[in-house]
Amino acid sequence: MPSLEEELFPSTPGKFKIDRGHTMNRQFNRCFASTSTMFLWALFLIALTASYLSFQSFVDSGSRYFTASWGGIQWEKQIRSSAQIHRSKGMSVLVTGAAGFVGSHVSLALKKRGDGVVGIDNFNSYYDPSLKKARKSLLNSRGIFIVEGDINDARLIAKLFDIVAFTHVMHLAAQAGVRYAMENPHSYVHSNIGGLVTLLEACKTANPQPAVVWASSSSVYGLNEKVPFSESDRTDQPASLYAATKKAGEEITHTYNHIYGLSITGLRFFTVYGPFGRPDMAYFFFTRNILQGKPITIFRGKNRVDLARDFTYIDDIVKGCVASLDTSGKSTGSGGKKRGPAPYRIFNLGNTSPVTVPTLVLILERHLKVKAKRNVVDMPGNGDVPFTHANISLAQRELGYKPTTDLETGLKKFVKWYLTYYGYNRGKAVH
């Protein structure tokens, strides 16, 4: 039987007798047949190419689906396992920003006491993602699963609520930093407003609705000059876009509480510091520069007044976060419909003992045993405020919140972690 190639391109037979009377007709027919065959072959190649491209597109789309960062049976199994509660009357908590500074510490504290914890983080590059990856590894070692995804991804958030009936949400994901807002303002609106609304939309439609505790900021006090800052003080004069987005968050959460019956607790953090902290914070990059022999820039306010901050150690903040979850009360809505009034609360979480930045530097010098190279300049108009000071009486009364770590003790713990994490104790410092 002739092959396909032979059928499409037949070979010329041996000697044969030419019929001169039909030579021209045969040549014409042969030419026509050859042209028709080539045309059919071209159509075949076109169809084959189209089929290949169509198949390749299917493979590529399938590959993108199956290699997505979330989804699948194993993925869902990990989430359910991480969300399992291991104590009586425990809670199942979705922690956003779980690979962040506060988020990682809160997740560890909840897991340690037997609560179910599922984290989500987008691992953005606002600061070195390797630090977030290190926190993730620590959480994984304690049985906490971190979903790599964005809180603006409504499909992902909805999927998480489909898999787990979370009793609480600890919303700590945000675009942080006051000065960076001047470089990338849209990231603050995207994360701090858009992401918050996406999350609240999922919470309002969940059945049962979770109670929501979220991180506002002491920055909302803005240009307020009354000290110490109290929750009842005016917060309509933000000094930065970051502060404005956090203030907007407080108004948005109040709306969802009022309309949909979500239990909401907002926490105004005051300058949180400690091990595994954020590299964009002054105490962190001061430490780095001092050890590397580089100068540090110290800002001062009007009339050469030293800036001061109500530095609050991470362990104290974690206690306030956990106490807020424990006392949050229940949401009252169902399927997006409010059934009755639900708690709406705002608390300051600070140390209520402001310390000047030059004093912070002196403490770091003492623990690092290295003298800092100071460069003192006037504070630029970049959104920073000259001082912060928390009135924590409401949190003390309602949450039993009582900070116990002073700056001297807290920085000693931070320095010990820093020297170990970056290899100074092994003589192999890496930054």
Side-chain angles (χ1 to χ4, degrees), residues 75 108 170 232 338:
W75 181 79
L108 288 169
M170 187 78 220
S232 58
K338 182 179 179 180

Side-chain angles (χ1 to χ4, degrees), residues 135-367:
R135 298 187 191 116
K136 178 188 176 184
S137 296
L138 177 60
L139 267 58
N140 288 163
S141 70
R142 308 295 170 83
I144 302 171
F145 183 67
I146 307 296
V147 175
E148 294 196 33
D150 197 293
I151 57 171
N152 280 281
D153 187 341
R155 287 180 58 246
L156 170 57
I157 300 300
K159 183 64 175 178
L160 293 176
F161 277 93
D162 284 342
I163 298 170
V164 178
F166 294 106
T167 61
H168 296 74
V169 170
M170 187 78 220
H171 177 45
L172 298 168
Q175 177 58 63
V178 170
R179 300 169 195 169
Y180 183 62
M182 299 182 69
E183 299 177 34
N184 189 4
H186 296 291
S187 66
Y188 288 79
V189 177
H190 176 77
S191 296
N192 301 357
I193 297 179
L196 174 63
V197 171
T198 301
L199 183 64
L200 291 174
E201 281 292 299
C203 291
K204 83 170 190 187
T205 56
N207 193 7
Q209 289 179 337
V212 179
V213 178
W214 74 288
S216 181
S217 171
S218 61
S219 295
V220 299
Y221 291 110
L223 302 179
N224 179 31
E225 295 183 351
K226 172 184 169 295
V227 291
F229 300 155
S230 299
E231 291 87 348
S232 58
D233 290 347
R234 64 184 297 183
T235 53
D236 59 351
Q237 295 177 301
S240 67
L241 179 61
Y242 169 71
T245 61
K246 286 299 186 179
K247 175 58 179 177
E250 292 188 353
E251 304 301 328
I252 290 168
T253 53
H254 184 275
T255 301
Y256 276 80
N257 166 265
H258 174 68
I259 297 177
Y260 302 110
L262 284 175
S263 169
I264 302 285
T265 302
L267 303 176
R268 294 172 177 172
F269 296 157
F270 282 73
T271 316
V272 189
Y273 73 100
F276 267 115
R278 281 177 22 215
D280 64 316
M281 299 291 285
Y283 73 93
F284 201 112
F285 61 76
F286 280 0
T287 299
R288 180 192 64 219
N289 285 8
I290 291 172
L291 288 170
Q292 294 179 355
K294 297 178 181 179
I296 61 173
T297 299
I298 300 175
F299 294 128
R300 62 188 174 195
K302 294 179 181 179
N303 302 319
R304 306 173 71 88
V305 174
D306 292 331
L307 303 188
R309 293 288 182 270
D310 198 347
F311 295 101
T312 313
Y313 191 63
I314 182 61
D315 288 359
D316 292 326
I317 289 293
V318 169
K319 292 175 184 176
C321 289
V322 173
S324 297
L325 290 168
D326 288 340
T327 61
S328 61
K330 293 184 179 296
S331 293
T332 61
S334 177
K337 296 182 179 180
K338 182 179 179 180
R339 306 296 182 187
Y344 182 83
R345 311 179 300 171
I346 291 179
F347 296 110
N348 288 338
L349 294 186
N351 194 53
T352 199
S353 299
V355 177
T356 65
V357 175
T359 300
L360 165 76
V361 175
L362 288 173
I363 297 173
L364 286 175
E365 287 178 324
R366 188 156 55 249
H367 291 306

Side-chain angles (χ1 to χ4, degrees), residues 69-100:
S69 60
W70 61 273
I73 296 174
Q74 183 61 28
W75 181 79
E76 293 186 16
K77 183 178 179 181
Q78 289 176 299
I79 289 174
R80 290 192 179 93
S81 176
S82 187
Q84 285 185 353
I85 300 170
H86 296 284
R87 71 180 181 95
S88 176
K89 298 182 180 179
M91 58 185 71
S92 181
V93 188
L94 174 64
V95 180
T96 71

Side-chain angles (χ1 to χ4, degrees), residues 273 362-363 366-367 405-413:
Y273 73 100
L362 288 173
I363 297 173
R366 188 156 55 249
H367 291 306
T405 308
D406 60 22
L407 188 61
E408 178 81 35
T409 303
L411 284 179
K412 182 178 180 180
K413 293 179 179 180

